[in-house]
């Protein structure tokens, strides 16, 4: 409720059931604790989560209000200033990491997939240097985590974009020896 008051646009991205929202809240609290327990594993997990957020087209400007809302809720639940500060610091770190991954992973190909536009996809792939077209539509990597734009398009039902990727991959070009 607090998040939607701070960022009404967030309602467009949290369309899940209440049960799913509770699950997300539980995962969020677990992640803030795991940042202290297993920071190396959490970097990997957060990178993977960030790439999924890229696929969902989540704007990074919603992370600030989300962190603020979560900290306000924790503030209502405890009088322990150290616990509140530890939660805030950890959640803020997770937010910054997710923002970095989303910014690095939001390629023009992924943006075209998010809107399921074959026209945008052709334009995006048209920007790719020769010999890199296939890489642009088959792999987006941030750190050690990667996602396949083609697989993401298929899994999320962006079938126009997926069709465009497959057609582009199967197109024989005059300089095909360079591929």
């Amino acid at each position: 409720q607090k998040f939607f008051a701070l960022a009404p646009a967030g309602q467009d991205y949290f369309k899940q059931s209440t049960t799913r929202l509770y699950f997300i809240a539980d995962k969020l609290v677990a992640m803030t604790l795991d940042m202290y327990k297993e920071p190396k594993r959490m970097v990997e997990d957060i990178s993977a989560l960030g790439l999924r957020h890229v696929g969902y087209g989540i704007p990074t400007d919603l992370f600030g209000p989300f962190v603020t809302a979560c900290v306000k809720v924790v503030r209502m639940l405890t009088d322990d200033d150290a616990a509140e500060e530890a939660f805030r610091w950890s959640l803020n770190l997770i937010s910054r990491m997710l923002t970095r991954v989303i910014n690095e992973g939001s390629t023009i190909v992924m943006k075209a997939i998010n809107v399921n536009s074959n026209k945008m996809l052709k334009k995006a792939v048209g920007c790719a240097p020769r010999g890199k077209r296939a890489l642009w539509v088959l792999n987006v990597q941030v750190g050690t985590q990667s996602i396949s734009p083609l697989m993401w398009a298929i899994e999320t039902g962006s079938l126009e974009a997926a069709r465009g990727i497959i057609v582009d991959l199967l197109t024989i070009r005059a300089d095909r020896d360079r591929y």
Side-chain angles (χ1 to χ4, degrees):
Q1 300 292 349
K2 293 190 182 307
F3 170 64
F4 297 139
L6 291 171
Q11 294 180 51
D12 296 336
Y13 299 96
F14 281 100
K15 296 178 184 173
Q16 297 90 349
S17 67
T18 304
T19 304
R20 180 71 178 161
L21 295 176
Y22 286 141
F23 171 78
I24 291 169
D26 286 346
K27 290 293 280 185
L28 177 104
V29 171
M31 288 173 71
T32 59
L33 292 171
D34 288 346
M35 280 301 293
Y36 292 103
K37 294 178 188 176
E38 303 177 69
K40 287 182 181 180
R41 181 184 61 83
M42 286 307 297
V43 168
E44 297 296 315
D45 290 354
I46 291 168
S47 292
L49 178 64
L51 285 174
R52 286 194 304 275
H53 278 67
V54 167
Y56 296 130
I58 306 296
T60 57
D61 58 346
L62 293 178
F63 286 105
F66 186 76
V67 170
T68 301
C70 291
V71 171
K72 283 183 178 182
V73 170
V74 167
R75 190 175 298 139
M76 290 171 27
L77 299 174
T78 185
D79 294 329
D80 186 345
D81 290 340
E84 179 189 328
E85 176 60 21
F87 178 80
R88 186 203 56 75
W89 181 87
S90 180
L91 188 56
N92 199 32
L93 179 61
I94 291 168
S95 171
R96 289 192 316 259
M97 291 168 66
L98 284 171
T99 299
R100 179 189 61 82
V101 170
I102 291 169
N103 288 337
E104 289 180 20
S106 291
T107 65
I108 54 179
V109 170
M110 288 300 286
K111 289 177 183 177
I113 291 169
N114 286 341
V115 295
N116 193 22
S117 169
N118 190 24
K119 183 179 177 182
M120 279 181 67
L121 183 81
K122 284 180 182 179
K123 236 183 203 181
V125 176
C127 296
R130 290 287 184 189
K132 299 279 186 195
R133 293 175 77 97
L135 185 62
W136 278 33
V137 296
L138 295 176
N139 189 44
V140 171
Q141 183 155 352
V142 177
T144 60
Q145 297 293 316
S146 63
I147 189 171
S148 167
L150 173 59
M151 287 302 298
W152 186 260
I154 293 168
E155 289 172 5
T156 59
S158 297
L159 300 181
E160 282 298 311
R163 183 183 154 293
I165 291 171
I166 292 169
V167 167
D168 189 78
L169 287 171
L170 296 176
T171 299
I172 298 174
R173 294 186 171 74
D175 60 347
R176 68 181 180 270
D177 295 335
R178 294 183 62 192
Y179 288 91

